[in-house]
Structures are given as C-alpha cells and as structure tokens.
Amino acid sequence: GAVVSQHPSWVICKSGTSVKIECRSLDFQATTMFWYRQFPKQSLMLMATSNEGSKATYEQGVEKDKFLINHASLTLSTLTVTSAHPEDSSFYICSARGGQNTEAFFGQGTRLTVV
Amino acid sequence: GENVEQHPSTLSVQEGDSAVIKCTYSDSASNYFPWYKQELGKRPQLIIDIRSNVGEKKDQRIAVTLNKTAKHFSLHITETQPEDSAVYFCAASWAKYIFGTGTRLKVLA
C-alpha cells in the first residue's frame, strides 16, 4: 500500500507552548487528509478533513483556532496544537487518500504529552 | 451529525468459532466501508473493505457484507485463531472518514 509518514512519533511539551505535527504522503498525491485524536481504549475521533488548497472542515466541538490545520500541497498537511494544555495530551493520527471511495492510508501517529 | 455505531464493544469466542461484528451508519452518501485492526499505540491496519456497489466480499477467513438499504455492514471472521485477538474498527466514508466505536475481540485458546 501507499506510505504516509507522520512526525514526530512522540513529543513532550510544556503547557502553553505550540506543537506542530507533520503528515506526508510519500508516494502518492493526497487530495484529502484527515486528522484524528484517540484517547486510550477509545476510537479514532475525526477532528477535521483537509482538502488540498482549501480551508479544513472541522468537526463539531473541535476548536479551529486551537488546532490549526494547513494542507498547502498534495503531499503535506500539518496540525499545530496551539497553547497546549495537559488535556490536549493524546494520540494524534493522520490519514491521506488520493480520491473519494478509496482507502485512506494512515501515518504512524504522534503521542503528545503536555506537562 | 454523522455517526457510525459498532456492536458489540467486546466479544469473546472460542478458537475455531466464528466472530461477527456489526456496524450501522447514518449518512446515505457513504460509499466506502473499510475494516481495520489496531494494535495498541499503532496505526490502524486495513483488513478488508467494500464499496457501495457490492453486497459481499470475501478474503480467506474474512468476509464483509453490506446492506445499503438498512445502512448496515458486518465483518465475519471464520475459524478464529488467537492471533485474531485485537481491536477492530469499522469506518464509513464519503467526503469524511468516520470510525465506529470499536470492538475488542478475544479468541480463547
């Protein structure tokens, strides 16, 4: 299958700082990327859907000013957690697909710990 | 809003028996239905998928069925083995890609 690379795999940051997570499709053009967060023993909760060149569509309850998503190219999307707080600690994972009705390929995830 | 319900949340079966996991989706625009297996702390791994123009698909011990009218789709695992023990997620996709709540499957040796 296609390869999606997500970095960093884990990050520890101080409360109040910002963290940027990158999601790259290495061998295909990703017209759509999805960002999820996953708490322990829970499902993947969709945060936002990002189409290349467009503003991201955020799910209800997700603060767009706190979770900044940029999808400036067909191979790269970034999620910036601004002014992080301990409750933002979670597993964040991206996925990318080349077209609707097709499989989305997942990055390896980023474990964020805010102290 | 759109959602995907998944049942059961936990399932224990004896080795060799079959396991069935069911999902229901709300948005009729959904046209792609993948199933994933996820190990703790790792990315989901696709195990089988089905598109809306197909009613059933099989790959060795794994099969998926889709009932578009009822907005139901199910995962069937036959001849279960201990290594099938994992957390399984269904998803429904159109413009979005929404996951079900997950099923923890335990196969007892």
Side-chain angles (χ1 to χ4, degrees):
Chain A
V3 179
V4 174
S5 180
Q6 184 175 342
H7 292 281
S9 298
W10 60 270
V11 58
I12 301 173
C13 70
K14 291 185 177 180
S15 187
T17 61
S18 295
V19 173
K20 180 184 280 188
I21 302 169
E22 290 190 350
C23 182
R24 292 181 185 273
S25 57
L26 299 185
D27 51 3
F28 70 102
Q29 293 186 326
T31 55
T32 305
M33 288 188 172
F34 303 98
W35 286 95
Y36 300 86
R37 66 188 297 182
Q38 185 175 32
F39 292 109
K41 297 188 178 182
Q42 294 190 21
S43 184
L44 287 79
M45 298 300 298
L46 181 65
M47 299 175 67
T49 300
S50 172
N51 292 299
E52 186 265 340
S54 304
K55 289 185 178 180
T57 301
Y58 289 81
E59 293 301 298
Q60 192 172 10
V62 178
E63 300 175 58
K64 62 180 181 181
D65 294 330
K66 179 169 184 62
F67 299 99
L68 301 178
I69 290 172
N70 183 281
H71 190 171
S73 78
L74 284 170
T75 59
L76 174 65
S77 178
T78 60
L79 167 67
T80 302
V81 183
T82 63
S83 186
H85 291 286
E87 57 265 31
D88 297 324
S89 299
S90 188
F91 188 62
Y92 292 86
I93 192 163
C94 69
S95 69
R97 68 180 183 187
Q100 209 177 101
N101 199 28
T102 63
E103 179 186 356
F105 298 92
F106 285 82
Q108 55 266 60
T110 298
R111 183 157 302 283
L112 170 64
T113 303
V114 184
V115 297
Chain B
E2 310 92 343
N3 71 309
V4 178
E5 295 183 0
Q6 182 171 343
H7 299 281
S9 56
T10 60
L11 177 61
S12 292
V13 299
Q14 289 292 328
E15 182 178 0
D17 287 351
S18 296
V20 180
I21 303 171
K22 299 181 178 182
C23 287
T24 305
Y25 60 98
S26 62
D27 198 313
S28 56
S30 299
N31 55 16
Y32 176 68
F33 306 91
W35 285 88
Y36 292 90
K37 184 177 180 181
Q38 189 183 28
E39 306 290 336
L40 188 65
K42 297 192 175 179
R43 75 185 91 193
Q45 296 288 339
L46 181 76
I47 57 172
I48 195 167
D49 58 9
I50 191 167
R51 288 178 173 78
S52 58
N53 58 344
V54 176
E56 185 173 356
K57 182 177 178 180
K58 189 173 181 181
D59 182 4
Q60 298 183 342
R61 297 188 296 110
I62 297 173
V64 56
T65 58
L66 172 64
N67 183 329
K68 281 195 66 179
T69 304
K71 297 182 187 173
H72 290 169
F73 58 114
S74 300
L75 177 71
H76 305 253
I77 305 174
T78 59
E79 301 172 29
T80 54
Q81 301 165 4
E83 50 265 38
D84 294 328
S85 297
V87 178
Y88 291 82
F89 292 101
C90 64
S93 177
W94 59 111
K96 300 184 181 182
Y97 212 94
I98 305 289
F99 278 78
T101 46
T103 298
R104 182 171 297 277
L105 173 65
K106 291 184 181 179
V107 180
L108 307 172

